[in-house]
Amino acid sequence: MAISTEKAYEILNLPLGASKDAIEQSYKKLAVKWHPEKYTTSKNIQDAFKKFKSINLAFRKLIHNERNDKDITLQEMFEQYRQVFQNESVKKNKLINGQSQNGEIKPLIKNTLLELNNNNDFINNKNLNSQNNTNISHKQIDQINKNHRVKVNDKNNNEENHENHIHLARREDQFEQTLLAKKMAQSLALKGNDLAKQGEFKKAVEKFTEAMKFDINDQRLYGNRSYCFDKIGHYQEALNDANKAIAIEPLWAKGYFRKGRALYGLKYYKEAEEAYVTVLNIENIDDPELEEELFKVRSLQLQEMGFSKTQSEGAIRSYVTVQAALEAILACCDTDKCELNILEKKLKINFEFLPDCN
């Protein structure tokens, strides 16, 4: 998505040349307002996502001067959102702990200044060794060192807690990203379903393809797109999607049904039958549509062997399986041949005993 510098300022509601702090503040305000997780309905989620995306692109353009034609993924948007707010938290923690934003310790505690007594007098390590402090007892020195160790330990604990907080925040962000991605995928899939019901299969394919950008592990998306490909005669694509759906969920019966339909379109009738039989093995239910598909691919296998359509369909109706139907047809052919031979012999005998017409 191309975006110019002028457009980036406009998206963030800022004048040209606004400062970095102003850009960050405007970004945070708008990003919180248009965060897709705040919305629930399908239309609102998609509208918010578009706004959220443009806000993140604008911020990236102004802060990092990214290329105009470089798009941004959902994961990158959430990572940028997290980093901006995390940086603000780090700045506040530094100020609270007595550090400036550039990482330097404030003069009040510079050079490892240690509290000496209740009067808030301060000394440093150099002063401890000077002759001017000979009146300081070993007990006082031990107390100073103890206080110093406590402060160091507190600092280490604070840093560890901060790291744990960042790790937890990242996990929460990843969870939110997953939920939002699934919402986006579901929203687009519903649109794809509506288009498929209206017979707009090519447009439905586009919606399911877009939904897969947000959730690549939902077998239903591949199953639905396989159905649409089947309807427009793109049988190889339909087979590819059916296989992907099965790879995600090996016991999803509809995935094998879609595979059977695609193989039927590609004229692999035996393989299509195997896919349909797998559906029966998984669900073990009476399904008229499945029975009809099985009947078609079985009778077509017989037709490929050279038998007529009427003969093949009649045999499958009577004997169900291809093998049983084939054996019955061949047995019938042998019987007919035998009866024909007997008839020919009878006719020959009758001709031999006919009286001479002359």
Side-chain angles (χ1 to χ4, degrees), residues 250-262:
L251 295 179
W252 192 48
K254 188 169 285 187
Y256 290 96
F257 184 82
R258 297 292 177 224
K259 181 175 182 177
R261 281 288 310 170

Side-chain angles (χ1 to χ4, degrees), residues 23-217:
I23 293 171
E24 287 185 355
Q25 291 302 318
S26 181
Y27 168 81
K28 286 188 288 185
K29 180 180 178 181
L30 292 171
V32 169
K33 178 181 178 181
W34 291 105
H35 197 294
E37 192 64 28
K38 295 174 61 177
Y39 300 88
T40 55
T41 65
S42 174
K43 184 178 185 306
N44 289 342
I45 290 174
Q46 291 195 46
D47 291 342
F49 175 77
K50 290 178 182 177
K51 289 276 189 181
F52 191 67
K53 183 176 182 178
S54 64
I55 292 164
N56 277 277
L57 282 169
F59 180 80
R60 190 174 68 174
K61 173 66 179 176
L62 297 178
I63 297 297
H64 304 294
N65 195 27
E66 292 283 356
R67 288 170 48 191
N68 288 346
D69 59 347
K70 188 176 180 181
D71 203 355
I72 188 169
T73 65
L74 181 67
Q75 183 177 357
E76 288 172 340
M77 283 187 269
F78 272 96
E79 181 64 20
Q80 182 167 267
Y81 179 86
R82 183 188 62 78
Q83 285 180 353
V84 171
F85 282 89
Q86 180 181 312
N87 289 341
E88 181 67 19
S89 175
V90 170
K91 289 178 183 178
K92 289 181 180 179
N93 286 336
K94 284 184 177 181
L95 291 173
I96 291 171
N97 293 326
Q99 287 183 307
S100 63
Q101 293 187 14
N102 60 11
E104 294 180 354
I105 302 176
K106 291 184 177 180
L108 181 62
I109 57 174
K110 197 171 184 180
N111 295 326
T112 321
L113 294 176
L114 306 175
E115 187 175 349
L116 177 61
N117 54 36
N118 293 332
N119 295 324
N120 293 326
D121 295 327
F122 290 89
I123 61 172
N124 57 32
N125 291 332
K126 181 179 180 180
N127 289 334
L128 282 174
N129 296 322
S130 67
Q131 294 180 356
N132 295 329
N133 293 306
T134 55
N135 293 328
I136 299 175
S137 67
H138 290 290
K139 185 176 181 180
Q140 287 175 312
I141 294 174
D142 289 342
Q143 184 62 39
I144 292 170
N145 290 332
K146 181 179 179 181
N147 291 341
H148 176 61
R149 285 194 297 271
V150 169
K151 289 185 178 182
V152 170
N153 289 334
D154 287 344
K155 179 181 178 182
N156 291 336
N157 289 335
N158 287 337
E159 290 177 352
E160 184 178 353
N161 290 336
H162 182 62
E163 289 296 326
N164 290 336
H165 176 73
I166 292 175
H167 179 67
L168 181 61
R170 284 178 177 171
R171 291 186 61 183
E172 290 175 349
D173 282 347
Q174 290 172 354
F175 182 68
E176 287 182 1
Q177 288 180 43
T178 302
L179 287 179
L180 177 59
K182 287 187 177 296
K183 281 186 177 181
M184 291 296 300
Q186 184 179 15
S187 174
L188 291 163
L190 289 173
K191 286 191 172 184
N193 289 343
D194 290 338
L195 288 167
K197 289 176 183 177
Q198 298 167 17
E200 298 285 349
F201 298 113
K202 289 185 178 180
K203 291 182 180 179
V205 165
E206 294 174 0
K207 290 299 177 183
F208 292 129
T209 302
E210 192 175 350
M212 290 171 190
K213 295 178 182 178
F214 297 97
D215 190 354
I216 61 172
N217 295 316

